Amino acid sequence: MKPLRHFLSIKDISEKEARLIFKKASEFKENRGKKNLFFLSSQTWALIFRKPSTRTRLSFEVAVRELGGEALFLNSQDLQLSRGEPIEDTAQVFGRMVHGIIMRTFSQKELELFAIYGNIPVINALTDEEHPCQVLSDIFSYEEKRGSIEGKKIAFVGDGCCNVARSWALAAEIFRFHLSIAAPPLYFSPIDNPFVTNTTSIEEACQDASLLYTDVWTSMGKEEEMQKRQIEFSGYQLNEQAVKVASKDVLVFHCLPAYRNKEISAELFKERAEDIYTQAENRLHVQKALLAWVVGKLDASLISE
Ligand code: CP
Ligand code: NVA
């Protein structure tokens, strides 16, 4: 029997596997409207969310349906989990009733326990530590417009400790691009690899960058720090100044939701909105291909074509 595949971290895929996923995602995008029931036919996938979501929930629910499966959305507040039922028991029960779990939660450890006890594939739909589906899809979005990301300079302006920034920092080593983070020192990246640097200077981070990226200053779960963070990050906005020092053909991405005139200026968001909405749309196509990979049917589908 083949070992189970999970996608708990961006480190769970190799560059080669990511490239297969991107190839399939492009096909899914080109052939939108054509159902691909082969991949998840007769399967039920549970989405367990402990935090709010627009894009991740929507894209995964649509993805599962377009691949022939049923998506079952469960707000964790409605589950016995919220009354302290052990994860081990919850995961065992899910594993006996559904074919896979897509989970958004606080702790990465909780996700790992679901993977250990569920005996079904588990996908990380965001934890405090990582947002791998977002970054995998963002790399696809970058390459769709500009070609290979290898060797490029990517600037991340904002909270270098947040889930999205961490997945970018881990991805830098897999895809061999340079990630330059501009943040207050307390928010420098905790990820230590030769492809990541930190600076307090937005200008230095964005100089000659091919992609400028930002995320909210206050991630979900950190709401009580919002006021403090608004002060700490007030000098860390992505705006026209950053674009001026970047590469001429620089892209500007935001994972969304975006707060105008906080982490990104309203002017820059408006100017780059089309690319940012396409970035959001690509979550659907990439996650369809990711699901195909997780259930072990991606290689077969590419070989049979
Ligand atoms: N970017 C993203 O994951 O958005 P949601 O929080 O709306 O899912
Ligand atoms: N860092 C953000 C990402 C939202 C998609 C958060 O965790 O709230």
Side-chain angles (χ1 to χ4, degrees):
M1 216 173 81
K2 276 195 204 163
L4 274 184
R5 275 183 182 163
H6 300 292
F7 190 59
L8 309 180
S9 162
I10 193 88
K11 288 186 296 184
D12 288 339
I13 45 156
S14 64
E15 187 196 354
K16 201 169 151 209
E17 288 168 309
R19 302 246 164 257
L20 281 181
I21 290 169
F22 293 167
K23 184 166 187 280
K24 195 71 198 170
S26 295
E27 284 174 26
F28 281 142
K29 189 167 180 174
E30 273 166 37
N31 301 309
R32 188 77 205 285
K34 218 167 99 188
K35 292 256 178 197
N36 292 274
L37 308 182
F38 158 73
F39 293 98
L40 297 184
S41 166
S42 308
Q43 294 205 5
T44 302
W45 278 67
L47 281 80
I48 308 174
F49 279 45
R50 282 195 190 266
K51 295 177 178 176
S53 170
T54 298
R55 281 143 289 271
T56 308
R57 174 180 177 178
L58 189 61
S59 53
F60 267 119
E61 286 206 34
V62 174
V64 169
R65 284 168 203 196
E66 291 193 359
L67 296 181
E70 295 279 346
L72 201 60
F73 181 80
L74 298 150
N75 184 326
S76 66
Q77 279 304 63
D78 299 333
L79 301 177
Q80 296 287 6
L81 260 185
S82 66
R83 298 177 64 243
E85 181 170 12
I87 291 162
E88 180 179 344
D89 298 347
T90 310
Q92 284 275 356
V93 172
F94 270 86
R96 284 154 196 253
M97 297 197 195
V98 299
H99 298 87
I101 295 173
I102 295 158
M103 184 162 195
R104 170 167 286 199
T105 189
F106 295 87
S107 129
Q108 184 79 15
K109 185 83 200 151
E110 182 181 46
L111 198 74
E112 286 163 7
L113 289 173
F114 264 93
I116 291 169
Y117 293 112
N119 204 29
I120 48 172
V122 177
I123 294 178
N124 181 350
L126 182 147
T127 61
D128 289 346
E129 281 180 37
E130 275 208 59
H131 197 0
C133 295
Q134 178 73 54
V135 171
L136 185 66
S137 176
D138 292 342
I139 293 170
F140 171 85
S141 297
Y142 176 85
E143 295 198 337
E144 184 180 45
K145 290 190 187 295
R146 295 286 187 269
S148 175
I149 200 166
E150 183 172 353
K152 296 282 164 45
K153 181 180 180 187
I154 313 301
F156 184 99
V157 177
D159 180 2
C161 298
C162 81
N163 38 26
V164 174
R166 288 187 201 214
S167 289
W168 268 108
L170 294 168
E173 195 160 30
I174 302 169
F175 291 87
R176 297 175 306 283
F177 56 82
H178 178 71
L179 182 71
S180 185
I181 294 177
L186 264 181
Y187 299 92
F188 279 0
S189 178
I191 309 293
D192 183 22
N193 75 44
F195 296 87
V196 179
T197 53
N198 294 280
T199 170
T200 54
S201 158
I202 299 192
E203 190 176 337
E204 189 184 319
C206 298
Q207 189 81 47
D208 303 321
S210 299
L211 171 64
L212 305 181
Y213 197 104
T214 190
D215 182 9
V216 294
W217 289 339
T218 308
S219 287
M220 291 177 279
K222 305 260 183 233
E223 287 77 6
E224 78 285 0
E225 296 176 15
M226 188 178 280
Q227 271 193 328
K228 174 173 98 84
R229 284 171 173 260
Q230 297 226 350
I231 297 165
E232 289 169 322
F233 285 105
S234 59
Y236 290 88
Q237 183 187 80
L238 210 51
N239 55 32
E240 295 295 342
Q241 291 301 110
V243 173
K244 270 195 196 124
V245 298
S247 168
K248 252 199 351 247
D249 65 346
V250 70
L251 288 171
V252 175
F253 281 177
H254 190 310
C255 58
L256 301 177
Y259 296 93
R260 271 67 159 186
N261 297 328
K262 297 282 192 262
E263 74 276 2
I264 189 163
S265 69
E267 190 192 7
L268 183 59
F269 188 93
K270 195 168 168 202
E271 188 188 302
R272 302 299 183 123
E274 184 54 35
D275 286 347
I276 293 170
Y277 296 141
T278 301
Q279 181 199 350
E281 178 198 324
N282 284 339
R283 298 284 305 277
L284 170 64
H285 312 302
V286 172
Q287 287 163 196
K288 280 168 79 173
L290 176 71
L291 283 162
W293 172 77
V294 166
V295 296
K297 289 187 178 172
L298 181 56
D299 316 6
S301 87
L302 288 167
I303 291 161
S304 64
E305 273 154 15

